[in-house]
Amino acid sequence: MADRPPQNGEDSQSVPWSDAIRFIRQLSHDLRNDLNAIELQSTYLGELEKNEEFKNEIKRLREMVSGLASTLQRLSRAVGEVKPNLIPYQATDFMHDLRGKIDRDFPKESREISWDIQLGDAMLNVDPQFCEEAFTELFANAFRHDRGKGPLVARAKIDDKGFLFILREPKARFDLPTQNWGREPLRKISLRHYGLGLNRVRAIVEAHGGELNAQYDPKVSALTTTLRFPLSGESSEEA
């Protein structure tokens, strides 16, 4: 996490992001173990009890425990190390598959996306699972945070720097700085969202040798996010 001067009343002590990651993952692991034990115990109680109303309450309890365990698992994955397994993937096919996933994950909201895909026969070298995770997070953010009126515009094309994806989302109000977009985890936290999504997107993109940037244009009230990936055969050695 980037260091910043302490504000009034703040502790000046800083914690390296690598230490914070280890803490989050260990805490998540420990709590999931406890929740698994609770679920097993509630299953046993449900088998002992014959009263249907009580059994239904036990079932609801197990569902709540399972939901919390899933939240902790997602949290642990959000700070997990990104080690992509790169394979050749035609860019047009990738976008076709991504569009299908967005339609499935956001059946109502996806009808308000305007797609413009012009990729020809270009090839990427990517990990499909990681890349789908990154792109899906961008769309989820666009649907969730202060969405303005009008469609989302998603464009994908090939230029002289490789594969370029542009997501333009209408926003009537936007007051966040974009120069460190995706580099400030835990900065904006809300119910069941912990400010890790964009940081995860950036980690995935950069693990592929790509770039993530964002810019807000107040004249047209739109936030534009761009992702760049090298084409197959052009990936950096670090990717």
Side-chain angles (χ1 to χ4, degrees):
M1 290 184 290
D3 293 334
R4 61 188 177 99
Q7 305 298 313
N8 291 336
E10 287 188 341
D11 189 339
S12 61
Q13 181 179 5
S14 62
V15 177
W17 179 233
S18 58
D19 290 346
I21 288 175
R22 283 196 296 272
F23 166 73
I24 291 170
R25 300 194 71 185
Q26 186 62 52
L27 178 63
S28 177
H29 174 77
D30 294 343
L31 291 176
R32 290 206 314 272
N33 282 343
D34 292 340
L35 290 170
N36 288 338
I38 293 172
E39 185 170 10
L40 287 173
Q41 188 68 18
S42 63
T43 301
Y44 176 65
L45 291 174
E47 292 174 351
L48 291 177
E49 179 58 48
K50 302 303 181 183
N51 182 280
E52 284 301 318
E53 183 177 355
F54 184 83
K55 289 170 71 72
N56 288 335
E57 291 300 320
I58 289 292
K59 181 180 178 181
R60 279 192 281 271
L61 175 62
R62 291 179 60 196
E63 290 172 350
M64 293 168 61
V65 169
S66 178
L68 180 54
S70 296
T71 297
L72 290 170
Q73 188 173 32
R74 290 193 299 271
L75 177 61
S76 183
R77 186 173 62 245
V79 297
E81 189 174 2
V82 179
K83 290 185 176 181
N85 180 24
L86 305 180
I87 63 171
Y89 202 153
Q90 189 170 48
T92 298
D93 291 342
F94 171 71
M95 291 305 302
H96 178 270
D97 294 341
L98 173 66
R99 185 170 180 177
K101 178 173 174 56
I102 298 301
D103 288 342
R104 292 190 300 272
D105 289 358
F106 310 98
K108 181 180 178 181
E109 297 90 340
S110 64
R111 289 177 288 182
E112 301 178 38
I113 302 174
S114 175
W115 295 88
D116 180 11
I117 301 173
Q118 301 181 33
L119 297 169
D121 58 358
M123 293 292 297
L124 301 173
N125 208 34
V126 298
D127 184 311
Q129 184 174 352
F130 275 127
C131 285
E132 281 195 350
E133 178 186 345
F135 280 81
T136 301
E137 177 66 24
L138 288 182
F139 280 99
N141 279 345
F143 294 136
R144 186 168 59 239
H145 297 304
D146 300 323
R147 172 124 179 259
K149 293 183 179 180
L152 271 67
V153 179
R155 295 191 177 98
K157 65 179 183 178
I158 303 298
D159 62 13
D160 57 352
K161 295 183 179 179
F163 171 89
L164 174 64
F165 176 80
I166 303 169
L167 181 62
R168 185 174 181 271
E169 49 185 295
K171 286 192 177 296
R173 57 190 181 90
F174 185 83
D175 56 4
L176 298 176
T178 57
Q179 62 267 27
N180 289 319
W181 201 244
R183 293 192 178 95
E184 297 177 317
L186 307 178
R187 188 58 61 88
K188 187 176 182 181
I189 296 176
S190 60
L191 182 64
R192 298 192 185 279
H193 297 284
Y194 309 106
L196 295 169
L198 282 176
N199 182 256
R200 177 70 170 176
V201 171
R202 177 173 290 281
I204 291 172
V205 172
E206 292 182 348
H208 285 78
E211 299 176 1
L212 168 69
N213 291 288
Q215 185 174 2
Y216 180 71
D217 187 346
K219 295 180 180 179
V220 295
S221 299
L223 175 67
T224 300
T225 304
T226 60
L227 276 71
R228 283 193 177 276
F229 286 87
L231 298 178
S232 181
E234 299 177 358
S235 300
S236 64
E237 293 181 1
E238 292 78 12

